[in-house]
Amino acid sequence: MKVSQMGIIGLLMVGVGLTMPTASADHYSARRAHSVKVVWRQKMGPHRYHVTRDARYSRHFRVRYATHRRAQRTVWVTDAHQKVTDRYRHTTAIYYHVKSQDGQHSGWIWRGYLRGV
């Protein structure tokens, strides 16, 4: 009788362990945020762009925003730019802070994904 009770308790513990949320997404976000270093960040004048690929990030690259279908037709307006260094690859890139013209969406996007209107 004790063996079957232990088996049931073990199955319950496994079931509870499977339903508990994991922190893997948080670890990925922290790793991404620490893998880049901002070299400089400056304001810039407004420039209008369309995106070729919607890959927008939060300020410290912790969150990648969900893409939406209308992103390529949306007009994006810049207001700042920053240079970041990838600590592992030893490369640099320029990211622009963009806001949609209607003001509903914003984020940092690599300038290679932007094309002029």
Side-chain angles (χ1 to χ4, degrees), residues 5-111:
Q5 288 177 346
M6 293 297 281
I8 292 173
I9 292 172
L11 287 174
L12 287 174
M13 290 178 72
V14 169
V16 170
L18 292 176
T19 60
M20 293 181 68
T22 61
S24 63
D26 293 335
H27 288 296
Y28 171 78
S29 300
R31 186 173 359 135
R32 174 74 176 139
H34 295 298
S35 69
V36 295
K37 178 183 176 185
V38 175
V39 178
W40 52 260
R41 181 180 291 141
Q42 297 174 352
K43 292 182 180 181
M44 67 183 290
H47 300 279
R48 297 164 40 111
Y49 292 101
H50 286 294
V51 296
T52 58
R53 187 170 176 190
D54 188 19
R56 292 174 294 119
Y57 291 93
S58 65
R59 182 175 182 164
H60 298 288
F61 299 97
R62 289 180 191 263
V63 178
R64 181 175 179 178
Y65 296 126
T67 60
H68 51 77
R69 281 193 240 156
R70 294 175 296 163
Q72 291 184 346
R73 293 188 309 252
T74 303
V75 174
W76 298 91
V77 182
T78 62
D79 62 358
H81 60 299
Q82 66 183 6
K83 182 176 184 177
V84 297
T85 300
D86 187 323
R87 294 179 186 209
Y88 301 116
R89 295 182 185 146
H90 304 290
T91 57
T92 59
I94 304 285
Y95 283 81
Y96 289 164
H97 185 261
V98 294
K99 290 183 181 178
S100 59
Q101 198 166 18
D102 61 6
Q104 292 184 354
H105 305 284
S106 66
W108 292 91
I109 189 166
W110 177 56
R111 70 178 177 180

